[in-house]
Amino acid sequence: MKPLLMSSYTATSALGVGLAEQIAALKAKQSGIVKKSWETVSFEFCTGEVAGVDEVVLPDAVKHFDCRNNQLAYLALQQDGFETAVLHAITKYGPNRVAVLLGTSTSGILSTEVAYRERDPETGALPVGHRYRQTQNTYSLADFVRTYFGLTGIANVVSTACSSSAKVFAAAERLIECGLADAAIVGGVDSLCLTTIYGFSSLQLVSVAPCKPYDVARNGISIGEGAAFALLEQPERADVKQGIYLTGYGETSDAHHMSSPHPEGLGAQQAMRAALSMAGLTPAEIGYINLHGTATPSNDAAEGKAVTALFGKNTPCSSTKGHTGHTLGAAGGLEAIFSAIALTEGFLPAGVGTTELDPDIACHYLLDNQVANIQHVLTNSFGFGGSNCSLIFSKG
């Protein structure tokens, strides 16, 4: 593939708002996961909540999109000069030539969960002011961003659980390569809601303590929330000529089980192999792997087998979900930004929360930050049902 330049990018998570707070927390090995009560959930749980989301006020022009997910999206869009970069791209390419391709798993479903509590006691009707299309509807995220920027071109949302916002990078590359867009806003947003908290808890997949990816005592995820955005452009048409490039991607499906990964990680391995092939790289040229690393016993074991089979035991790797919690549909985008940070800052983040590595997983998992001037990073995102996506980012 022809590399695409990430000409601007930003991230917001439980570690803070904007790139500077992400970088500081990663370097300090801080976690944003805390045990707390939230909304009407009947028990305390460990979560990576973004501070201040409920206080975010949307502009009047997009007020009808008001929900927690779009509040989080708006908060993130205001950081790191991202909005200015998008407006410049719109001026340069035109509003119909900047695509919006975003990932989410539950969008603004919390708004409907709250609306159901306020149904008419006699008719069961939802409140008149509830706007399903602009809040819960999966497309509402892209619709919000598209409307906010006044864009008129292609807009789409990918919702494949935890691989959602990684797959949009691949979709954007195909769109631009086909000549259907000149630039693309990619990334993902997922916010806390009752569906995921109760749902993952009922599946007994939520850890009672902050998650411990790849630890011998790992016992489940910590649900988080986050938002990440990147502007992808063809390098020859971008104003900035050096930076971080998307150089490869691989997408596969396990076709194995409704929720569990293939136990040997075959789909994951095929996704990573496809990404390497597209980038024209060998496994030895990858300097760091940002693992999917959810901290469930089966997911980490399967990914560990896939990584070891392809990369051996020496490539440094870690999961950053111990920092942020699992941000589900936003995880791919967020960890793409963390991969860019590793390249630009010259350090490999250690996995926070992990203290004793699982001896049955042989990959080179980092327990301490490592200074390294690397050229290429691979990041994994694997969703329910075996939806796998691996991305490669390179420093240029």
Side-chain angles (χ1 to χ4, degrees):
M1 63 169 279
K2 297 177 182 176
L4 289 176
L5 177 67
M6 288 209 300
S7 56
S8 182
Y9 51 90
T10 185
T12 288
S13 72
L15 297 181
V17 177
L19 288 178
E21 294 190 5
Q22 312 302 312
I23 294 169
L26 288 170
K27 288 185 174 179
K29 296 175 62 178
Q30 292 178 350
S31 172
I33 300 172
V34 297
K35 193 168 190 175
K36 62 181 296 184
S37 301
W38 187 80
E39 233 278 335
T40 56
V41 178
S42 57
F43 50 87
E44 289 191 335
F45 62 102
C46 294
T47 182
E49 182 182 14
V50 177
V53 175
D54 290 331
E55 286 70 51
V56 174
V57 178
L58 299 185
D60 288 344
V62 288
K63 198 72 176 177
H64 50 298
F65 287 96
D66 191 31
C67 67
R68 183 178 180 83
N69 210 55
N70 290 333
Q71 288 174 296
L72 178 53
Y74 180 69
L75 176 64
L77 288 170
Q78 306 309 303
Q79 312 307 317
D80 301 306
F82 188 77
E83 178 175 320
T84 301
V86 171
L87 293 175
H88 180 66
I90 294 170
T91 300
K92 183 165 58 172
Y93 300 121
N96 64 332
R97 297 293 298 172
V98 179
V100 179
L101 303 170
L102 300 172
T104 188
S105 65
T106 52
S107 190
I109 196 173
L110 179 64
S111 63
T112 300
E113 294 168 342
V114 172
Y116 262 78
R117 293 204 297 255
E118 299 171 352
R119 284 180 299 172
D120 185 290
E122 294 185 0
T123 67
L126 293 171
V128 174
H130 176 57
R131 295 176 175 271
Y132 170 86
R133 174 182 170 183
Q134 288 87 9
T135 57
Q136 181 188 332
N137 187 302
T138 305
Y139 177 66
S140 76
L141 172 61
D143 196 11
F144 166 68
V145 173
R146 186 174 186 260
T147 303
Y148 177 67
F149 284 115
L151 292 165
T152 57
I154 295 171
N156 194 9
V157 165
V158 173
S159 188
T160 53
C162 312
S163 63
S164 303
S165 56
K167 291 172 73 68
V168 296
F169 283 81
E173 190 278 333
R174 291 189 285 267
L175 202 65
I176 293 173
E177 177 63 21
C178 288
L180 298 175
D182 293 317
I185 300 169
V186 298
V189 183
D190 241 346
S191 50
L192 295 177
C193 64
L194 302 177
T195 297
T196 50
I197 295 166
Y198 281 120
F200 281 104
S201 296
S202 69
L203 291 172
Q204 300 181 329
L205 292 176
V206 177
S207 174
V208 296
C211 67
K212 301 160 70 78
Y214 281 70
D215 195 287
V216 68
R218 68 188 183 279
N219 60 4
I221 69 172
S222 297
I223 297 173
E225 61 182 356
F229 292 101
L231 180 63
L232 296 179
E233 299 181 72
Q234 295 169 310
E236 63 272 21
R237 301 185 67 185
D239 296 335
V240 179
K241 300 303 178 187
Q242 291 190 323
I244 304 304
Y245 293 81
L246 172 68
T247 51
Y249 59 82
E251 298 172 280
T252 62
S253 174
D254 279 2
H256 169 72
H257 188 270
M258 288 285 286
S259 58
S260 299
H262 189 285
E264 300 300 318
L266 294 185
Q269 188 181 152
Q270 289 168 347
M272 291 186 281
R273 194 183 301 280
L276 287 167
S277 176
M278 181 174 283
L281 297 172
T282 65
E285 292 177 280
I286 297 296
Y288 166 67
I289 301 171
N290 185 289
L291 299 163
H292 186 55
T294 60
T296 61
S298 59
N299 282 353
D300 288 3
E303 183 181 24
K305 289 179 181 177
V307 167
T308 305
L310 191 55
F311 291 90
K313 302 178 181 179
N314 296 320
T315 303
C317 56
S318 66
S319 166
T320 45
K321 289 182 174 65
H323 299 76
T324 64
H326 192 346
T327 59
L328 305 175
L334 184 61
E335 291 159 19
I337 305 304
F338 288 168
S339 299
I341 289 172
L343 289 164
T344 57
E345 296 294 314
F347 88 103
L348 316 182
V352 168
T354 303
T355 55
E356 183 178 353
L357 292 174
D358 185 340
D360 291 331
I361 304 177
C363 57
H364 180 24
Y365 195 91
L366 297 175
L367 294 180
D368 289 304
N369 289 344
Q370 182 174 312
V371 175
N373 183 22
I374 57 174
Q375 192 68 28
H376 309 285
V377 170
L378 181 144
T379 177
N380 285 333
S381 297
F382 304 143
F384 260 161
S387 173
N388 308 301
C389 185
S390 297
L391 303 175
I392 293 178
F393 294 96
S394 304
K395 185 165 57 178

